[in-house]
Amino acid sequence: MNCLSGCRGRHTVLDQTVAAPANRKHCHTLQRTSFRSQAPPRLSSLPTSKAHQHHQARSKQRKLVRCQSSQLAAPGEWTQAADQNVVLVADIGGTNCRFVLWRLDRQSGNHEKLFSKIYPTKDYMTFDDALDALAGENAFKIDTPGAAAFACAGPVLDNKCVMTNLEWIIDGQSLTVKYGIRMAVLNDFEACGYGVPALRPEDLLVLNDVPARRKGPKACMGPGTGLGQANLYWSENFGDYRVWPSEGAHASFAPRGWKQRALQTHVERQLGYCEVEHVCCGSGLQRIYEFLQTDEHCARPDLDLTMHKTAAEISKSAMDNSDQLAVEAVDLFLALIGAEAGHMGLRSLASGGIYICGGIMPKLIEKIMLGGVVDSYLHEKSRFNKLLKTFPLYVVLNEGLGLLGTREYAIRLLQTPEVCK
């Protein structure tokens, strides 16, 4: 098992000591493994002096096993100066890498932002180079973090991300060894998921106002550049929620009614296939607008059916009612978002709530308040309408959810060293 800490300590295996890769700081997991082919020599087969030396060496190894007192064999660059009340978080995209240092107040939860800076990724060959540049800042030298978590725009496997639009490899385990503090790498939407339990009432717009079940499953979706999705399930080991990222946004789109079926056909003609994300993100809003423009001109003689607009322009035109086609496009878009929220709620039995985040929704609050999202979510004609009514539905107003979740995960690195990811 890989330890969340990225530790490289020694593991006791039954009555033998097995050396793991060097330089791990902590380990709280014992493994049962057979190593008959690597059995140590019998003491009786060794000369007396060598047997004594071997016995001393074995005793010394066993002492190193104790996780509570284990130390890095070769301390990392930041080990000595690390402050266990300071964490480092980063939001890493294809263009910029934003670092933020936080001082924790674990009693009140009112954490203090110590330092924030954006580093253009084009200026650094590797992520390590950017991290070293950060370490040269005076604020960092004064408040060196005790743990770090990084949210990356790309797939994450085994605490490692190969960036999608950037030639960077961010490896949490090797960074832990190099710098001597625990570091974790998260997918950017996974980070949003970890931010959900930390949201405050003022961060939420409540659409289906029913009580959330304590420790109940939660679902999170975020229409933006794409459509992120994740599920949150309570973990007794963590004493909190764990986030399980999902690729459900790439499932087939399930239209309701003739207009949505016509939209599906329009997208299939363009792309060969229509998945949920194709109509439930920024580019999806543009596709809906373009689909509505295919209507016969005689049916809409007062509208310009040739104008090209971006998602931001469509949203703005809908909000100020300057383009009736944009209003219709946003209404349809919000209905699709509500339907997908209902699908996520049913799949995970999200009695802890469904949270719709992302950069688009906060800009459409006035339209959301008209009820299209919640009506589509509850779907009165559905056999499971009564069940959906028991699941809270929220729109997340806090657009810094990803960084919030990354910070929360960094705090876990300090508080739960025994939990493996």
Side-chain angles (χ1 to χ4, degrees):
M1 294 180 68
N2 292 323
C3 186
L4 174 62
S5 63
C7 61
R8 293 178 177 267
R10 296 182 180 271
H11 300 243
T12 299
V13 183
L14 301 182
D15 63 337
Q16 300 178 25
T17 301
V18 180
N23 291 335
R24 286 196 180 182
K25 188 172 183 180
H26 294 287
C27 178
H28 298 255
T29 305
L30 301 182
Q31 303 182 33
R32 286 186 175 272
T33 312
S34 175
F35 288 87
R36 292 193 181 97
S37 62
Q38 301 178 12
R42 295 178 179 273
L43 295 182
S44 59
S45 66
L46 296 174
T48 303
S49 60
K50 289 187 177 180
H52 178 68
Q53 292 173 2
H54 185 78
H55 176 75
Q56 286 184 322
R58 290 287 301 280
S59 298
K60 187 174 182 181
Q61 284 179 329
R62 289 192 180 99
K63 290 178 182 177
L64 290 173
V65 170
R66 303 297 180 257
C67 297
Q68 289 80 1
S69 60
S70 65
Q71 300 294 324
L72 286 170
E77 296 177 19
W78 301 347
T79 305
Q80 301 301 323
D83 186 334
Q84 297 302 304
N85 288 311
V86 176
V87 295
L88 170 66
V89 303
D91 180 15
I92 308 165
T95 305
N96 292 313
C97 176
R98 181 186 179 192
F99 288 112
V100 185
L101 277 173
W102 291 91
R103 176 165 292 281
L104 308 179
D105 184 338
R106 305 190 197 194
Q107 295 296 322
S108 68
N110 296 320
H111 309 309
E112 177 190 0
K113 184 187 291 186
L114 299 173
F115 177 80
S116 177
K117 187 172 180 178
I118 294 175
Y119 293 79
T121 55
K122 64 180 178 59
D123 294 344
Y124 303 93
M125 289 291 293
T126 67
F127 175 69
D128 291 32
D129 293 337
L131 206 53
D132 288 337
L134 171 71
E137 302 282 352
N138 287 332
F140 189 94
K141 294 175 183 177
I142 296 170
D143 294 294
T144 304
F150 310 124
C152 306
V156 175
L157 182 63
D158 295 331
N159 205 20
K160 180 178 180 179
C161 178
V162 179
M163 295 289 290
T164 303
N165 298 313
L166 185 66
E167 294 182 358
W168 279 10
I169 297 175
I170 304 170
D171 188 336
Q173 183 169 310
S174 65
L175 291 169
T176 294
V177 173
K178 177 178 178 180
Y179 295 101
I181 66 169
R182 304 180 73 197
M183 298 194 185
V185 180
L186 308 175
N187 169 263
D188 51 2
F189 200 77
E190 182 184 6
C192 289
Y194 279 110
V196 164
L199 290 169
R200 300 183 178 185
E202 59 267 27
D203 295 324
L204 299 171
L205 172 66
V206 183
L207 298 185
N208 190 39
D209 192 4
V210 295
R213 183 180 177 183
R214 183 173 176 268
K215 298 184 180 181
K218 299 177 185 290
C220 180
M221 59 182 285
T225 304
L227 178 64
Q229 293 189 353
N231 296 306
L232 289 75
Y233 297 101
W234 184 263
S235 167
E236 292 297 340
N237 286 338
F238 269 114
D240 209 328
Y241 283 93
R242 284 194 66 179
V243 176
W244 299 94
S246 166
E247 293 297 340
H250 301 296
S252 298
F253 169 53
R256 298 175 184 173
W258 71 267
K259 183 173 287 188
Q260 291 187 20
R261 285 192 286 272
L263 170 63
Q264 180 187 44
T265 300
H266 173 79
V267 175
E268 287 174 344
R269 287 172 178 167
Q270 279 188 335
L271 305 176
Y273 172 64
C274 185
E275 60 186 41
V276 179
E277 186 178 79
H278 287 155
V279 293
C280 287
C281 65
S283 59
L285 179 56
Q286 288 179 248
R287 289 190 185 97
I288 293 170
Y289 187 81
E290 292 164 1
F291 157 69
L292 295 174
Q293 286 180 317
T294 64
D295 202 351
E296 294 291 338
H297 182 69
C298 60
R300 300 175 185 269
D302 55 333
L303 299 179
D304 182 354
L305 301 181
T306 62
M307 184 180 297
H308 174 78
K309 286 188 175 182
T310 65
E313 290 169 340
I314 295 167
S315 297
K316 184 177 183 300
S317 297
M319 293 304 295
D320 62 20
N321 291 309
S322 62
D323 180 349
Q324 190 56 41
L325 208 63
V327 172
E328 189 175 337
V330 166
D331 287 345
L332 179 51
F333 174 79
L334 292 177
L336 300 181
I337 294 295
E340 183 60 15
H343 297 159
M344 289 196 71
L346 291 174
R347 291 184 191 113
S348 59
L349 294 177
S351 57
I354 298 98
Y355 297 76
I356 308 175
C357 59
I360 296 177
M361 300 301 280
K363 298 178 177 64
L364 300 175
I365 294 301
E366 290 181 23
K367 295 295 182 184
I368 292 170
M369 294 298 290
L370 296 177
V373 174
V374 70
D375 288 347
S376 188
Y377 164 74
L378 292 175
H379 196 200
E380 289 290 342
K381 296 180 181 179
S382 167
R383 289 191 302 150
F384 285 87
N385 164 261
K386 291 182 179 179
L387 179 61
L388 283 167
K389 285 181 177 179
T390 68
F391 299 160
L393 178 65
Y394 310 97
V395 171
V396 178
L397 305 177
N398 186 340
E399 296 188 48
L401 183 62
L403 276 174
L404 174 62
T406 310
R407 186 186 72 193
E408 291 302 304
Y409 201 88
I411 294 172
R412 290 189 185 190
L413 294 178
L414 293 175
Q415 294 178 339
T416 57
E418 73 281 4
V419 178
C420 291
K421 187 174 181 181

